[in-house]
Structure formats: C-alpha cells, structure tokens
Amino acid sequence: MRRRSILSCLAAPLNLLRAQDDERVWHDYLDWLRRQPFGLADPRSAYLAELKRQGLDEHAAQARFSLIERMRRARPDDYQRAFFDRTYRSTEPRFQSKPNELLAETVKSLKPGLALDIHMGQGRNAIHLARLGWKVTGFDYSREGVEAASKSASSAGVRIEAVVARHEDFDFGNNRWDLIVMSYTWVPLAEPWTTRIVAALKPGAILVFEHLMDSSGSDNAAVWLPRPNQLLQTFAALRILRYEDVRRQADWSWRPERVARLVAEKSEVSGPVHRLQE
Ligand SMILES: C[S@@+](CC[C@H](N)C(=O)[O-])C[C@H]1O[C@@H](n2cnc3c(N)ncnc32)[C@H](O)[C@@H]1O
C-alpha cells in the first residue's frame, strides 16, 4: 500500500515533466513551421530532415513527429494560428491584399465613425477605413498579421488600434461600433457570436460580411462558412440592405468561388435585438 502511494507520488512530477517536454516539442515545431516558405510541399519530410540535422536518429525523429501529429489533432487552433502567421510572413501574399471591394463600395456612402475589423489579418481593410477617416480597431490572433497591420498603418501615415486577441476573449462591447467588418472571418456563424456582434453595433450601424459559401451540405463543414441563405437567418435581427450569392474571384482563393456577401443595418429600434439583449 505504502509502496503504491510512493510510486504515485513519483509519477506526478514525472507526468508534469513529460507534459512540459510535449509542449516544448510542439512549440519548437510551430516556430519552425512559421519560418517555412509557402511553397514547402511536404512539411513532414522537411521537419524529419531538420530533426536529423539536429542530431536525432531515424527512430527518435519518427517518434517526435508522431507526438507532433497527436498534438496537431488535439490543438487545431495552435496549428491554424501558425498557418496564418506563416501566411502573413510570406513576401508573396496568397490573398487579395487590396481592400475588400464590397466594403470599399459600402463605405463610400457612410460618414466615418468607430469601426471594428474582426480577424483583420494584415490590415488591408482596417487601413483603407483609417485612410477615409474612420477610427478603427482591428484584432486577430496572428501576431504576424497584427504586426504587419501596424507597420502598414505607420507607412500609410494613419493610426489603427491593432490588437492581438482571439475572438473568444475579445470584448465586442454593446452599442459601440458604427461599422463592423467581417471579411473572410473565422467566427462561427452561431451563438453566442451572432448575438454579440449584433449587440456590439450601435443603432443605425452597418455590418459588412463576405466569405466563401459552403454548399457541400456536410456536417463537417467549417462553422464560419455560410451555407446558402444562412446569413439571412443568422443576421435576421438586422435590416438586410444587400445580400448576394455570387460566383466571383474570392479574396482568399486563387480561383472564382461561390461567395456570400451581406450588408445589413441595425435599426434604430430593433425588436429582435432588444429581445436578445434582455
Ligand atoms: C481568411 S483570414 C481573413 C483576414 C482579413 N479579414 C482579410 O479579409 O484579409 C482569417 C483571419 O482570422 C484569424 N483568426 C482565425 N481564428 C481566429 C480566432 N479564434 N481569433 C482571432 N483571430 C482568428 C486568422 O489569423 C486570419 O487572419
């Protein structure tokens, strides 16, 4: 009995050390991945070669990569963030680096005020708005993206509030923004996010949304991609000013795609929103 409790006392610190080791292996891999060029076709082989270069034998390198693959399944969020960091570090942008067209058209008729750019990436939309006189806050969990946005804002001679944050932790506020931009965002089109975004708009404020449409009908489809007509339901608390389901060159794709676009306004007196806020 006593022997068992001594063994379990020893096991706890050992497990902690093992967990710390796993973390280190995972973060070393992510740091390496962030520095890789986009053309890298086979990250697994490249990383195995890197581990061998560091002195690991074949068996140890394979064991380490198996751990990385387990971590990748357990931590998809870390992996995706590293993917976006790598995207924004790249000198050849794999996305449209000009402002989103729907946003640019929409704001032509709006008086500048306070704008929130959700998942702003490298700031192409935030900077466009700041140039037009909007006071812009943009946030994103990619540190590389936010740094690129801050740098581009300085070069353009404008100020933006650029924040490294996850939407899970960001305080959207209530009745706070005159404009909210959701350009190719990864925010789930579900509660509590819809209510938070609608509540964050001031009465009379505008939401601009554009993203690839998911028409697969699959239960496994990404929760941030709108299904056909879904935006009309998701943002039914708003007055829909413009809705399009079109095939066009998408900002985050290299070929024409089915794209969902929405411009909506929070009414001065909006029944469903009041009900959601109660
Ligand atoms: C497809 S990009 C769009 C970027 C930008 N809005 C644009 O249109 O160029 C999606 C962005 O969402 C960010 N992102 C994904 N999940 C996030 C999360 N949970 N919290 C904060 N940012 C996130 C990524 O870092 C990435 O910059």
Side-chain angles (χ1 to χ4, degrees):
M1 182 69 181
R2 176 179 291 171
R3 193 154 161 251
R4 212 171 32 220
S5 66
I6 291 172
L7 283 180
S8 60
C9 285
L10 285 174
L14 277 178
N15 284 342
L16 180 66
L17 279 179
R18 197 169 303 139
Q20 284 170 349
D21 264 3
D22 291 359
E23 281 296 317
R24 192 180 41 75
V25 166
W26 177 231
H27 285 285
D28 284 354
Y29 175 65
L30 293 178
D31 286 344
W32 172 86
L33 194 63
R34 284 186 174 95
R35 294 193 305 272
Q36 299 315 300
F38 241 101
L40 183 70
D42 182 359
R44 180 193 165 96
S45 306
Y47 198 59
L48 286 173
E50 166 66 17
L51 291 175
K52 287 180 201 156
R53 203 188 52 73
Q54 291 173 12
L56 269 71
D57 65 21
E58 176 69 26
H59 179 74
Q62 291 287 355
R64 191 171 291 191
F65 210 84
S66 302
L67 167 62
I68 289 167
E69 278 170 339
R70 278 203 305 282
M71 293 296 271
R72 183 179 161 173
R73 282 192 294 277
R75 309 265 193 92
D77 209 43
D78 284 357
Y79 188 78
Q80 280 151 0
R81 189 189 326 205
F83 165 83
F84 280 113
D85 279 341
R86 189 170 153 212
T87 304
Y88 298 128
R89 276 178 84 110
S90 163
T91 45
E92 296 155 38
R94 310 200 111 212
F95 51 87
Q96 172 60 271
S97 49
K98 296 202 191 98
N100 174 262
E101 254 179 54
L102 177 66
L103 175 69
E105 270 172 42
T106 305
V107 296
K108 273 186 190 153
S109 57
L110 299 180
K111 190 165 136 273
L114 283 184
L116 174 64
D117 188 1
I118 299 179
H119 293 184
M120 76 165 165
Q122 47 64 272
R124 64 194 180 107
N125 296 320
I127 291 160
H128 178 69
L129 292 172
R131 280 197 163 116
L132 296 174
W134 290 80
K135 272 191 85 175
V136 191
T137 297
F139 76 88
D140 199 289
Y141 69 0
S142 161
R143 195 167 287 283
E144 295 285 343
V146 172
E147 277 172 14
S150 301
K151 273 196 203 129
S152 309
S154 305
S155 322
V158 293
R159 239 194 69 74
I160 60 170
E161 188 70 33
V163 184
V164 178
R166 295 161 50 85
H167 66 254
E168 291 83 348
D169 306 319
F170 187 79
D171 178 10
F172 289 82
N174 259 312
N175 294 333
R176 181 156 160 204
W177 309 100
D178 298 292
L179 172 69
I180 294 186
V181 183
M182 295 182 76
S183 163
Y184 295 81
T185 46
W186 281 33
V187 179
L189 293 166
E191 295 303 347
W193 308 109
T194 316
T195 298
R196 279 191 201 165
I197 289 161
V198 170
L201 291 162
K202 283 183 191 165
I206 298 289
L207 171 72
V208 176
F209 180 102
E210 182 173 308
H211 215 316
L212 304 173
M213 175 92 82
D214 179 73
S215 45
S216 66
S218 158
D219 288 345
N220 297 327
V223 285
W224 50 84
L225 295 183
R227 288 19 170 207
N229 288 339
Q230 184 186 353
L231 293 178
L232 299 172
Q233 288 147 26
T234 304
F235 293 110
L238 302 176
R239 182 170 158 240
I240 312 288
L241 302 178
R242 178 169 173 180
Y243 176 72
E244 288 168 21
D245 169 345
V246 280
R247 200 160 182 83
R248 68 191 318 276
Q249 181 58 51
D251 288 5
W252 276 78
S253 176
W254 59 93
R255 55 175 188 215
E257 302 271 5
R258 191 168 169 187
V259 170
R261 307 171 103 198
L262 174 101
V263 179
E265 179 191 46
K266 183 164 168 181
S267 309
E268 298 291 339
V269 180
S270 173
V273 176
H274 281 293
R275 275 206 297 282
L276 286 172
Q277 286 173 323
E278 268 165 19

